[in-house]
């Protein structure tokens, strides 16, 4: 089946964010020395990239595994870790290769300082319960921080006590502002409320950019691991603006019928989507059809 004239564009703004790129680079550098390197949790929420690094020798472990390891090198990924992880590593003589994203690291320090300064206040984190980054943030408060996952959870807060609001770095800016406004409207007159917009701008800026991209094409292929939180948010935004949007994990999920009668295809992804995977998706269409590139 020939589709002469089909144009494909890969979104230049999609792909790994700075933190993920740095973590992968650190892993590759260590692996190139031929030493065994362990990574605490998936280095990125993308199965294919994890598999590529596994073939290079990266061994993914969980926190239970970490307690059993001694005298080895362990990489901490971009999401960051609570203080307990560093303490365990010290006890087990584990060398840490710390690839915590600088944006996350800065946020951890701010939350720790706030907790130590205001032990009676509610430290509130807008984020996903159990998410690796959030566990690292909550750990700065000895587990006392309150996590709210969405605007609906804001009613659980005690508005008679001081509230210091932070956000997981990859959450929605709009929802964060709605939460802020609600707390401002309900906080008791004698209680203090302060909010700190700690959403990563590199991630936040992807939303308007990907929105524009989605409207430029007849078909959008959103390439992303189904575990990625950032991916879910960006995919839903693409689909809201272009109903002909499909989430795929790799080129083998592209279906011929999606391409019938289509003139332009946009390929984009999340902060956890490797560039090489988006290239593979373009090549898969290329190999099936006669195409023109933009």
């Amino acid at each position: 089946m020939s589709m002469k004239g089909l144009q494909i564009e890969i979104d230049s703004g999609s792909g790994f964010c700075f933190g993920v790129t740095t973590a992968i680079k650190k892993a590759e550098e260590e692996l190139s020395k031929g030493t065994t390197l362990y990574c605490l949790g998936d280095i990125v929420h993308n199965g294919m990239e994890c598999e590529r690094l596994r073939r290079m020798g990266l061994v993914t472990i969980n926190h239970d595994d970490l307690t059993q390891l001694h005298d080895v090198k362990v990489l901490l990924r971009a999401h960051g870790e609570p203080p307990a992880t560093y303490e365990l590593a010290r006890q087990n003589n584990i060398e840490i290769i710390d690839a915590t994203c600088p944006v996350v690291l800065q946020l951890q320090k701010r939350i720790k300082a706030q907790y130590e300064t205001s032990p009676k206040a509610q430290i509130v984190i807008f984020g996903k319960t159990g998410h690796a980054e959030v566990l690292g943030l909550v750990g700065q408060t000895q587990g006392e921080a309150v996590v709210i996952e969405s605007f609906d959870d804001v009613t659980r807060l005690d508005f008679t006590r001081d509230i210091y609001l932070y956000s997981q770095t990859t959450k929605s800016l709009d929802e964060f502002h709605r939460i802020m406004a609600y707390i401002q409207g309900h906080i008791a007159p004698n209680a203090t409320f302060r909010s700190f917009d700690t959403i990563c701008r590199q991630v936040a800026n992807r939303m308007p950019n990907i929105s524009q991209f989605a409207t430029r094409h007849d078909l959008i292929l959103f390439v992303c691991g189904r575990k990625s939180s950032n991916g879910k948010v960006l995919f839903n935004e693409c689909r809201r603006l272009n109903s002909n949007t499909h989430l795929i994990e790799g080129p083998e999920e592209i279906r011929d019928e999606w391409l019938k009668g289509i003139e332009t295809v946009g390929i984009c992804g999340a902060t956890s989507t490797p560039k090489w995977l988006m290239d593979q998706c373009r090549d898969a269409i290329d190999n099936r059809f006669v195409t023109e590139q933009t």
Side-chain angles (χ1 to χ4, degrees):
M1 176 185 169
S2 164
M3 297 192 70
K4 202 170 166 101
L6 179 67
Q7 295 186 329
I8 306 170
E9 183 188 4
I10 295 178
D11 173 33
S12 59
S14 288
F16 294 153
C17 61
F18 169 77
V20 171
T21 303
T22 307
I24 287 169
K25 208 153 130 196
K26 283 192 178 184
E28 288 173 337
E29 276 168 19
E30 287 299 322
L31 293 166
S32 69
K33 297 174 190 171
T35 51
T36 301
L37 180 65
Y38 296 90
C39 180
L40 188 53
D42 288 339
I43 194 164
V44 63
H45 288 144
N46 184 279
M48 290 192 183
E49 180 66 359
C50 288
E51 177 57 24
R52 183 184 75 85
L53 289 161
R54 189 192 66 76
R55 286 198 299 267
M56 288 177 71
L58 187 67
V59 182
T60 302
I61 57 166
N62 61 29
H63 287 83
D64 286 343
D65 300 327
L66 190 69
T67 61
Q68 308 304 312
L69 289 175
H70 295 78
D71 315 312
V72 294
K73 283 186 178 183
V74 173
L75 178 95
L76 302 186
R77 58 200 175 157
H79 304 82
E81 281 292 321
T85 301
Y86 292 86
E87 180 51 32
L88 178 61
R90 196 187 60 74
Q91 287 169 7
N92 288 8
N93 196 36
I94 289 169
E95 184 187 336
I96 284 199
I97 310 292
D98 200 339
T100 304
C101 169
V103 179
V104 175
L105 205 54
Q106 185 61 28
L107 175 53
Q108 286 185 348
K109 285 178 183 161
R110 286 176 76 172
I111 288 176
K112 185 172 192 281
Q114 190 73 68
Y115 174 72
E116 286 170 355
T117 316
S118 330
K120 291 194 172 147
Q122 286 171 103
I123 297 205
V124 179
I125 297 161
F126 169 45
K128 189 171 188 260
T129 307
H131 185 281
E133 182 192 326
V134 174
L135 292 174
L137 300 176
V138 172
Q140 308 304 316
T141 68
Q142 301 191 18
E144 288 183 25
V146 179
V147 177
I148 58 171
E149 293 209 3
S150 67
F151 176 77
D152 297 341
D153 291 342
V154 76
T155 53
R156 288 178 20 219
L157 302 179
D158 180 350
F159 296 104
T160 64
R161 287 170 58 204
D162 293 354
I163 294 174
Y164 294 92
L165 174 71
Y166 298 84
S167 175
Q168 179 183 335
T169 59
T170 53
K171 292 296 275 183
S172 153
L173 202 50
D174 288 349
E175 199 168 5
F176 182 75
H177 287 147
R178 282 180 66 208
I179 290 166
M180 265 174 61
Y182 186 91
I183 298 172
Q184 269 161 350
H186 291 78
I187 193 88
N190 58 344
T192 301
F193 169 53
R194 288 190 67 199
S195 63
F196 307 91
D197 174 357
T198 50
I199 291 166
C200 172
R201 282 306 175 268
Q202 200 189 357
V203 174
N205 291 341
R206 296 220 170 160
M207 190 66 99
N209 293 344
I210 216 159
S211 306
Q212 274 187 326
F213 183 82
T215 58
R216 283 212 301 273
H217 297 285
D218 300 334
L219 166 68
I220 293 291
L221 297 178
F222 191 89
V223 188
C224 174
R226 290 187 168 90
K227 273 205 273 185
S228 165
S229 330
N230 163 258
K232 280 191 193 100
V233 173
L234 291 172
F235 167 67
N236 287 331
E237 178 66 3
C238 282
R239 199 173 48 181
R240 187 177 71 79
L241 291 157
N242 184 336
S243 58
N244 199 17
T245 295
H246 299 275
L247 188 141
I248 57 169
E249 289 207 334
E252 66 291 341
E253 292 184 26
I254 300 170
R255 290 166 44 185
D256 287 359
E257 60 263 32
W258 295 346
L259 297 151
K260 281 181 185 163
I262 295 297
E263 289 182 8
T264 67
V265 179
I267 298 173
C268 53
T271 52
S272 53
T273 305
K275 172 89 167 59
W276 61 261
L277 189 55
M278 291 186 283
D279 288 344
Q280 276 188 3
C281 291
R282 178 201 55 210
D283 296 345
I285 300 171
D286 263 353
N287 293 338
R288 282 189 238 183
F289 311 111
V290 179
T291 63
E292 288 173 10
Q293 300 297 304
T294 60

